[in-house]
mmCIF file of all heavy atoms in Angstrom:
data_model
loop_
_atom_site.group_PDB
_atom_site.id
_atom_site.type_symbol
_atom_site.label_atom_id
_atom_site.label_comp_id
_atom_site.label_asym_id
_atom_site.label_seq_id
_atom_site.Cartn_x
_atom_site.Cartn_y
_atom_site.Cartn_z
ATOM 1 N N LEU A 1 -9.346 -18.044 4.034
ATOM 2 C CA LEU A 1 -9.399 -17.848 2.589
ATOM 3 C C LEU A 1 -8.101 -18.293 1.929
ATOM 4 O O LEU A 1 -8.111 -18.908 0.854
ATOM 5 C CB LEU A 1 -9.687 -16.383 2.268
ATOM 6 C CG LEU A 1 -9.738 -16.009 0.788
ATOM 7 C CD1 LEU A 1 -10.804 -16.822 0.058
ATOM 8 C CD2 LEU A 1 -10.004 -14.517 0.616
ATOM 9 N N ARG A 2 -6.977 -17.985 2.561
ATOM 10 C CA ARG A 2 -5.680 -18.363 2.003
ATOM 11 C C ARG A 2 -5.557 -19.885 1.895
ATOM 12 O O ARG A 2 -5.069 -20.406 0.887
ATOM 13 C CB ARG A 2 -4.566 -17.816 2.890
ATOM 14 C CG ARG A 2 -3.157 -18.174 2.434
ATOM 15 C CD ARG A 2 -2.708 -17.289 1.302
ATOM 16 N NE ARG A 2 -1.370 -17.624 0.859
ATOM 17 C CZ ARG A 2 -0.667 -16.885 -0.008
ATOM 18 N NH1 ARG A 2 -1.197 -15.785 -0.512
ATOM 19 N NH2 ARG A 2 0.538 -17.237 -0.373
ATOM 20 N N ARG A 3 -6.002 -20.593 2.919
ATOM 21 C CA ARG A 3 -5.938 -22.050 2.886
ATOM 22 C C ARG A 3 -6.843 -22.600 1.776
ATOM 23 O O ARG A 3 -6.482 -23.577 1.103
ATOM 24 C CB ARG A 3 -6.347 -22.624 4.239
ATOM 25 C CG ARG A 3 -5.384 -22.303 5.359
ATOM 26 C CD ARG A 3 -4.049 -22.972 5.165
ATOM 27 N NE ARG A 3 -4.132 -24.395 5.474
ATOM 28 C CZ ARG A 3 -3.197 -25.284 5.144
ATOM 29 N NH1 ARG A 3 -2.145 -24.903 4.449
ATOM 30 N NH2 ARG A 3 -3.324 -26.569 5.476
ATOM 31 N N GLY A 4 -7.987 -21.976 1.597
ATOM 32 C CA GLY A 4 -8.847 -22.397 0.498
ATOM 33 C C GLY A 4 -8.210 -22.166 -0.852
ATOM 34 O O GLY A 4 -8.319 -23.013 -1.759
ATOM 35 N N ARG A 5 -7.530 -21.043 -0.994
ATOM 36 C CA ARG A 5 -6.837 -20.748 -2.254
ATOM 37 C C ARG A 5 -5.705 -21.738 -2.496
ATOM 38 O O ARG A 5 -5.459 -22.151 -3.635
ATOM 39 C CB ARG A 5 -6.290 -19.320 -2.221
ATOM 40 C CG ARG A 5 -7.359 -18.243 -2.315
ATOM 41 C CD ARG A 5 -6.769 -16.872 -2.051
ATOM 42 N NE ARG A 5 -5.668 -16.558 -2.948
ATOM 43 C CZ ARG A 5 -4.888 -15.489 -2.822
ATOM 44 N NH1 ARG A 5 -5.088 -14.641 -1.821
ATOM 45 N NH2 ARG A 5 -3.925 -15.268 -3.685
ATOM 46 N N GLU A 6 -5.002 -22.113 -1.424
ATOM 47 C CA GLU A 6 -3.902 -23.069 -1.572
ATOM 48 C C GLU A 6 -4.407 -24.423 -2.052
ATOM 49 O O GLU A 6 -3.793 -25.057 -2.925
ATOM 50 C CB GLU A 6 -3.159 -23.215 -0.239
ATOM 51 C CG GLU A 6 -2.364 -21.989 0.156
ATOM 52 C CD GLU A 6 -1.774 -22.108 1.551
ATOM 53 O OE1 GLU A 6 -2.058 -23.116 2.234
ATOM 54 O OE2 GLU A 6 -1.009 -21.205 1.956
ATOM 55 N N TYR A 7 -5.517 -24.867 -1.483
ATOM 56 C CA TYR A 7 -6.075 -26.150 -1.917
ATOM 57 C C TYR A 7 -6.546 -26.057 -3.368
ATOM 58 O O TYR A 7 -6.321 -26.977 -4.166
ATOM 59 C CB TYR A 7 -7.234 -26.564 -1.015
ATOM 60 C CG TYR A 7 -7.765 -27.933 -1.323
ATOM 61 C CD1 TYR A 7 -7.237 -29.052 -0.706
ATOM 62 C CD2 TYR A 7 -8.795 -28.108 -2.261
ATOM 63 C CE1 TYR A 7 -7.715 -30.331 -1.007
ATOM 64 C CE2 TYR A 7 -9.276 -29.371 -2.569
ATOM 65 C CZ TYR A 7 -8.728 -30.480 -1.938
ATOM 66 O OH TYR A 7 -9.196 -31.730 -2.253
ATOM 67 N N ALA A 8 -7.197 -24.946 -3.696
ATOM 68 C CA ALA A 8 -7.713 -24.795 -5.060
ATOM 69 C C ALA A 8 -6.586 -24.745 -6.079
ATOM 70 O O ALA A 8 -6.701 -25.304 -7.182
ATOM 71 C CB ALA A 8 -8.560 -23.529 -5.146
ATOM 72 N N SER A 9 -5.478 -24.090 -5.727
ATOM 73 C CA SER A 9 -4.375 -23.955 -6.674
ATOM 74 C C SER A 9 -3.644 -25.268 -6.923
ATOM 75 O O SER A 9 -3.029 -25.451 -7.977
ATOM 76 C CB SER A 9 -3.384 -22.901 -6.169
ATOM 77 O OG SER A 9 -2.811 -23.313 -4.935
ATOM 78 N N THR A 10 -3.689 -26.185 -5.954
ATOM 79 C CA THR A 10 -3.015 -27.477 -6.123
ATOM 80 C C THR A 10 -3.929 -28.547 -6.707
ATOM 81 O O THR A 10 -3.462 -29.468 -7.381
ATOM 82 C CB THR A 10 -2.472 -27.974 -4.768
ATOM 83 O OG1 THR A 10 -3.538 -28.046 -3.815
ATOM 84 C CG2 THR A 10 -1.394 -27.030 -4.252
ATOM 85 N N SER A 11 -5.223 -28.421 -6.462
ATOM 86 C CA SER A 11 -6.165 -29.436 -6.937
ATOM 87 C C SER A 11 -6.995 -28.970 -8.129
ATOM 88 O O SER A 11 -7.660 -29.780 -8.781
ATOM 89 C CB SER A 11 -7.118 -29.838 -5.810
ATOM 90 O OG SER A 11 -7.939 -28.732 -5.441
ATOM 91 N N PHE A 12 -6.957 -27.651 -8.393
ATOM 92 C CA PHE A 12 -7.762 -27.031 -9.449
ATOM 93 C C PHE A 12 -9.263 -27.203 -9.205
ATOM 94 O O PHE A 12 -10.066 -27.154 -10.131
ATOM 95 C CB PHE A 12 -7.391 -27.590 -10.837
ATOM 96 C CG PHE A 12 -5.959 -27.356 -11.197
ATOM 97 C CD1 PHE A 12 -5.023 -28.380 -11.070
ATOM 98 C CD2 PHE A 12 -5.547 -26.112 -11.628
ATOM 99 C CE1 PHE A 12 -3.698 -28.160 -11.390
ATOM 100 C CE2 PHE A 12 -4.222 -25.880 -11.961
ATOM 101 C CZ PHE A 12 -3.291 -26.902 -11.831
ATOM 102 N N ARG A 13 -9.637 -27.397 -7.943
ATOM 103 C CA ARG A 13 -11.045 -27.489 -7.554
ATOM 104 C C ARG A 13 -11.498 -26.129 -7.045
ATOM 105 O O ARG A 13 -11.813 -25.953 -5.873
ATOM 106 C CB ARG A 13 -11.208 -28.537 -6.459
ATOM 107 C CG ARG A 13 -10.781 -29.926 -6.853
ATOM 108 C CD ARG A 13 -11.923 -30.672 -7.517
ATOM 109 N NE ARG A 13 -11.670 -32.103 -7.619
ATOM 110 C CZ ARG A 13 -12.578 -32.997 -7.938
ATOM 111 N NH1 ARG A 13 -13.813 -32.609 -8.184
ATOM 112 N NH2 ARG A 13 -12.276 -34.277 -8.024
ATOM 113 N N TYR A 14 -11.543 -25.155 -7.916
ATOM 114 C CA TYR A 14 -11.852 -23.787 -7.497
ATOM 115 C C TYR A 14 -13.296 -23.651 -7.039
ATOM 116 O O TYR A 14 -13.574 -23.022 -6.014
ATOM 117 C CB TYR A 14 -11.553 -22.817 -8.636
ATOM 118 C CG TYR A 14 -10.091 -22.679 -8.939
ATOM 119 C CD1 TYR A 14 -9.494 -23.403 -9.976
ATOM 120 C CD2 TYR A 14 -9.289 -21.840 -8.168
ATOM 121 C CE1 TYR A 14 -8.141 -23.281 -10.244
ATOM 122 C CE2 TYR A 14 -7.935 -21.705 -8.435
ATOM 123 C CZ TYR A 14 -7.361 -22.438 -9.477
ATOM 124 O OH TYR A 14 -6.026 -22.324 -9.726
ATOM 125 N N PHE A 15 -14.210 -24.210 -7.789
ATOM 126 C CA PHE A 15 -15.624 -24.092 -7.420
ATOM 127 C C PHE A 15 -15.881 -24.730 -6.058
ATOM 128 O O PHE A 15 -16.530 -24.141 -5.190
ATOM 129 C CB PHE A 15 -16.507 -24.753 -8.491
ATOM 130 C CG PHE A 15 -17.965 -24.767 -8.133
ATOM 131 C CD1 PHE A 15 -18.756 -23.651 -8.328
ATOM 132 C CD2 PHE A 15 -18.549 -25.917 -7.585
ATOM 133 C CE1 PHE A 15 -20.110 -23.657 -7.987
ATOM 134 C CE2 PHE A 15 -19.889 -25.932 -7.240
ATOM 135 C CZ PHE A 15 -20.670 -24.805 -7.435
ATOM 136 N N GLU A 16 -15.390 -25.949 -5.878
ATOM 137 C CA GLU A 16 -15.626 -26.659 -4.627
ATOM 138 C C GLU A 16 -14.955 -25.957 -3.446
ATOM 139 O O GLU A 16 -15.554 -25.827 -2.365
ATOM 140 C CB GLU A 16 -15.125 -28.096 -4.742
ATOM 141 C CG GLU A 16 -15.887 -28.947 -5.739
ATOM 142 C CD GLU A 16 -15.351 -28.811 -7.152
ATOM 143 O OE1 GLU A 16 -14.531 -27.905 -7.376
ATOM 144 O OE2 GLU A 16 -15.749 -29.614 -8.035
ATOM 145 N N SER A 17 -13.727 -25.488 -3.644
ATOM 146 C CA SER A 17 -12.982 -24.851 -2.552
ATOM 147 C C SER A 17 -13.653 -23.570 -2.092
ATOM 148 O O SER A 17 -13.887 -23.364 -0.890
ATOM 149 C CB SER A 17 -11.542 -24.559 -3.004
ATOM 150 O OG SER A 17 -10.869 -25.749 -3.336
ATOM 151 N N TYR A 18 -14.004 -22.713 -3.029
ATOM 152 C CA TYR A 18 -14.593 -21.431 -2.645
ATOM 153 C C TYR A 18 -16.036 -21.585 -2.169
ATOM 154 O O TYR A 18 -16.533 -20.746 -1.409
ATOM 155 C CB TYR A 18 -14.495 -20.442 -3.803
ATOM 156 C CG TYR A 18 -13.075 -19.988 -4.057
ATOM 157 C CD1 TYR A 18 -12.470 -20.156 -5.291
ATOM 158 C CD2 TYR A 18 -12.334 -19.408 -3.031
ATOM 159 C CE1 TYR A 18 -11.163 -19.758 -5.516
ATOM 160 C CE2 TYR A 18 -11.028 -19.007 -3.244
ATOM 161 C CZ TYR A 18 -10.444 -19.190 -4.488
ATOM 162 O OH TYR A 18 -9.140 -18.799 -4.684
ATOM 163 N N THR A 19 -16.704 -22.657 -2.589
ATOM 164 C CA THR A 19 -18.040 -22.927 -2.056
ATOM 165 C C THR A 19 -17.957 -23.245 -0.568
ATOM 166 O O THR A 19 -18.735 -22.718 0.237
ATOM 167 C CB THR A 19 -18.698 -24.100 -2.802
ATOM 168 O OG1 THR A 19 -18.883 -23.743 -4.180
ATOM 169 C CG2 THR A 19 -20.054 -24.431 -2.199
ATOM 170 N N VAL A 20 -17.008 -24.096 -0.189
ATOM 171 C CA VAL A 20 -16.825 -24.437 1.221
ATOM 172 C C VAL A 20 -16.434 -23.208 2.034
ATOM 173 O O VAL A 20 -16.968 -22.967 3.123
ATOM 174 C CB VAL A 20 -15.777 -25.550 1.375
ATOM 175 C CG1 VAL A 20 -15.421 -25.763 2.850
ATOM 176 C CG2 VAL A 20 -16.286 -26.847 0.771
ATOM 177 N N ILE A 21 -15.508 -22.420 1.519
ATOM 178 C CA ILE A 21 -15.060 -21.221 2.238
ATOM 179 C C ILE A 21 -16.216 -20.246 2.440
ATOM 180 O O ILE A 21 -16.410 -19.695 3.535
ATOM 181 C CB ILE A 21 -13.915 -20.527 1.473
ATOM 182 C CG1 ILE A 21 -12.703 -21.454 1.374
ATOM 183 C CG2 ILE A 21 -13.535 -19.218 2.143
ATOM 184 C CD1 ILE A 21 -12.150 -21.898 2.705
ATOM 185 N N ALA A 22 -17.010 -20.044 1.395
ATOM 186 C CA ALA A 22 -18.146 -19.122 1.499
ATOM 187 C C ALA A 22 -19.159 -19.611 2.531
ATOM 188 O O ALA A 22 -19.683 -18.818 3.324
ATOM 189 C CB ALA A 22 -18.818 -18.962 0.136
ATOM 190 N N LEU A 23 -19.432 -20.898 2.549
ATOM 191 C CA LEU A 23 -20.390 -21.445 3.511
ATOM 192 C C LEU A 23 -19.871 -21.325 4.941
ATOM 193 O O LEU A 23 -20.634 -21.028 5.867
ATOM 194 C CB LEU A 23 -20.679 -22.906 3.182
ATOM 195 C CG LEU A 23 -21.532 -23.156 1.929
ATOM 196 C CD1 LEU A 23 -21.587 -24.642 1.604
ATOM 197 C CD2 LEU A 23 -22.939 -22.592 2.110
ATOM 198 N N ILE A 24 -18.572 -21.533 5.135
ATOM 199 C CA ILE A 24 -18.005 -21.410 6.480
ATOM 200 C C ILE A 24 -18.106 -19.966 6.968
ATOM 201 O O ILE A 24 -18.492 -19.707 8.118
ATOM 202 C CB ILE A 24 -16.537 -21.890 6.495
ATOM 203 C CG1 ILE A 24 -16.474 -23.400 6.253
ATOM 204 C CG2 ILE A 24 -15.872 -21.546 7.832
ATOM 205 C CD1 ILE A 24 -15.060 -23.942 6.135
ATOM 206 N N TYR A 25 -17.768 -19.010 6.112
ATOM 207 C CA TYR A 25 -17.889 -17.595 6.486
ATOM 208 C C TYR A 25 -19.340 -17.245 6.798
ATOM 209 O O TYR A 25 -19.635 -16.512 7.754
ATOM 210 C CB TYR A 25 -17.371 -16.695 5.368
ATOM 211 C CG TYR A 25 -15.901 -16.379 5.468
ATOM 212 C CD1 TYR A 25 -14.996 -16.866 4.532
ATOM 213 C CD2 TYR A 25 -15.397 -15.574 6.505
ATOM 214 C CE1 TYR A 25 -13.644 -16.586 4.617
ATOM 215 C CE2 TYR A 25 -14.057 -15.284 6.592
ATOM 216 C CZ TYR A 25 -13.176 -15.790 5.646
ATOM 217 O OH TYR A 25 -11.835 -15.517 5.741
ATOM 218 N N LEU A 26 -20.262 -17.759 5.999
ATOM 219 C CA LEU A 26 -21.679 -17.464 6.227
ATOM 220 C C LEU A 26 -22.146 -18.012 7.570
ATOM 221 O O LEU A 26 -22.835 -17.312 8.330
ATOM 222 C CB LEU A 26 -22.515 -18.060 5.095
ATOM 223 C CG LEU A 26 -24.036 -17.847 5.190
ATOM 224 C CD1 LEU A 26 -24.380 -16.375 5.204
ATOM 225 C CD2 LEU A 26 -24.745 -18.556 4.040
ATOM 226 N N VAL A 27 -21.762 -19.241 7.888
ATOM 227 C CA VAL A 27 -22.151 -19.842 9.167
ATOM 228 C C VAL A 27 -21.572 -19.039 10.327
ATOM 229 O O VAL A 27 -22.259 -18.771 11.319
ATOM 230 C CB VAL A 27 -21.690 -21.310 9.228
ATOM 231 C CG1 VAL A 27 -21.833 -21.868 10.651
ATOM 232 C CG2 VAL A 27 -22.491 -22.167 8.263
ATOM 233 N N MET A 28 -20.312 -18.640 10.221
ATOM 234 C CA MET A 28 -19.677 -17.885 11.305
ATOM 235 C C MET A 28 -20.351 -16.539 11.536
ATOM 236 O O MET A 28 -20.666 -16.169 12.670
ATOM 237 C CB MET A 28 -18.182 -17.680 11.002
ATOM 238 C CG MET A 28 -17.339 -18.914 11.126
ATOM 239 S SD MET A 28 -15.563 -18.521 11.126
ATOM 240 C CE MET A 28 -15.398 -17.681 9.543
ATOM 241 N N THR A 29 -20.560 -15.801 10.476
ATOM 242 C CA THR A 29 -21.137 -14.468 10.633
ATOM 243 C C THR A 29 -22.579 -14.526 11.124
ATOM 244 O O THR A 29 -22.988 -13.711 11.967
ATOM 245 C CB THR A 29 -21.072 -13.692 9.313
ATOM 246 O OG1 THR A 29 -21.689 -14.468 8.268
ATOM 247 C CG2 THR A 29 -19.637 -13.403 8.921
ATOM 248 N N LEU A 30 -23.340 -15.492 10.637
ATOM 249 C CA LEU A 30 -24.719 -15.627 11.114
ATOM 250 C C LEU A 30 -24.760 -16.079 12.571
ATOM 251 O O LEU A 30 -25.618 -15.638 13.342
ATOM 252 C CB LEU A 30 -25.486 -16.610 10.238
ATOM 253 C CG LEU A 30 -25.840 -16.111 8.833
ATOM 254 C CD1 LEU A 30 -26.483 -17.217 8.021
ATOM 255 C CD2 LEU A 30 -26.755 -14.902 8.893
ATOM 256 N N PHE A 31 -23.835 -16.937 12.968
ATOM 257 C CA PHE A 31 -23.778 -17.384 14.353
ATOM 258 C C PHE A 31 -23.493 -16.217 15.291
ATOM 259 O O PHE A 31 -24.174 -16.031 16.307
ATOM 260 C CB PHE A 31 -22.693 -18.455 14.512
ATOM 261 C CG PHE A 31 -22.432 -18.855 15.936
ATOM 262 C CD1 PHE A 31 -23.315 -19.684 16.609
ATOM 263 C CD2 PHE A 31 -21.316 -18.377 16.599
ATOM 264 C CE1 PHE A 31 -23.073 -20.047 17.936
ATOM 265 C CE2 PHE A 31 -21.071 -18.737 17.922
ATOM 266 C CZ PHE A 31 -21.946 -19.582 18.587
ATOM 267 N N PHE A 32 -22.512 -15.395 14.943
ATOM 268 C CA PHE A 32 -22.183 -14.257 15.800
ATOM 269 C C PHE A 32 -23.262 -13.181 15.740
ATOM 270 O O PHE A 32 -23.467 -12.439 16.702
ATOM 271 C CB PHE A 32 -20.816 -13.677 15.417
ATOM 272 C CG PHE A 32 -19.666 -14.510 15.888
ATOM 273 C CD1 PHE A 32 -18.886 -15.211 14.993
ATOM 274 C CD2 PHE A 32 -19.372 -14.609 17.241
ATOM 275 C CE1 PHE A 32 -17.835 -16.000 15.425
ATOM 276 C CE2 PHE A 32 -18.318 -15.382 17.690
ATOM 277 C CZ PHE A 32 -17.544 -16.089 16.777
ATOM 278 N N SER A 33 -23.955 -13.079 14.618
ATOM 279 C CA SER A 33 -25.063 -12.122 14.548
ATOM 280 C C SER A 33 -26.169 -12.515 15.508
ATOM 281 O O SER A 33 -26.823 -11.662 16.114
ATOM 282 C CB SER A 33 -25.603 -12.022 13.124
ATOM 283 O OG SER A 33 -26.352 -13.181 12.781
ATOM 284 N N ARG A 34 -26.392 -13.816 15.673
ATOM 285 C CA ARG A 34 -27.387 -14.283 16.641
ATOM 286 C C ARG A 34 -26.945 -13.935 18.064
ATOM 287 O O ARG A 34 -27.758 -13.497 18.884
ATOM 288 C CB ARG A 34 -27.578 -15.782 16.493
ATOM 289 C CG ARG A 34 -28.404 -16.433 17.596
ATOM 290 C CD ARG A 34 -29.840 -15.943 17.574
ATOM 291 N NE ARG A 34 -30.602 -16.586 16.526
ATOM 292 C CZ ARG A 34 -31.907 -16.398 16.359
ATOM 293 N NH1 ARG A 34 -32.563 -15.589 17.161
ATOM 294 N NH2 ARG A 34 -32.548 -16.998 15.365
#
């Protein structure tokens, strides 16, 4: 999350950055749930 925030703060791509972070967290948690 911190790395995503760093990219967003320098590029001002907040929507894109947090979308990627959310999808990565979702993939990880669903993978381990399986």
Side-chain angles (χ1 to χ4, degrees):
L1 178 59
R2 178 79 180 189
R3 293 293 285 166
R5 289 171 56 188
E6 290 173 356
Y7 186 89
S9 63
T10 56
S11 65
F12 300 101
R13 300 273 194 168
Y14 291 97
F15 176 81
E16 294 86 349
S17 299
Y18 290 123
T19 297
V20 171
I21 298 301
L23 288 172
I24 292 175
Y25 270 112
L26 180 60
V27 169
M28 288 193 301
T29 54
L30 288 175
F31 173 76
F32 284 110
S33 73
R34 170 65 78 175

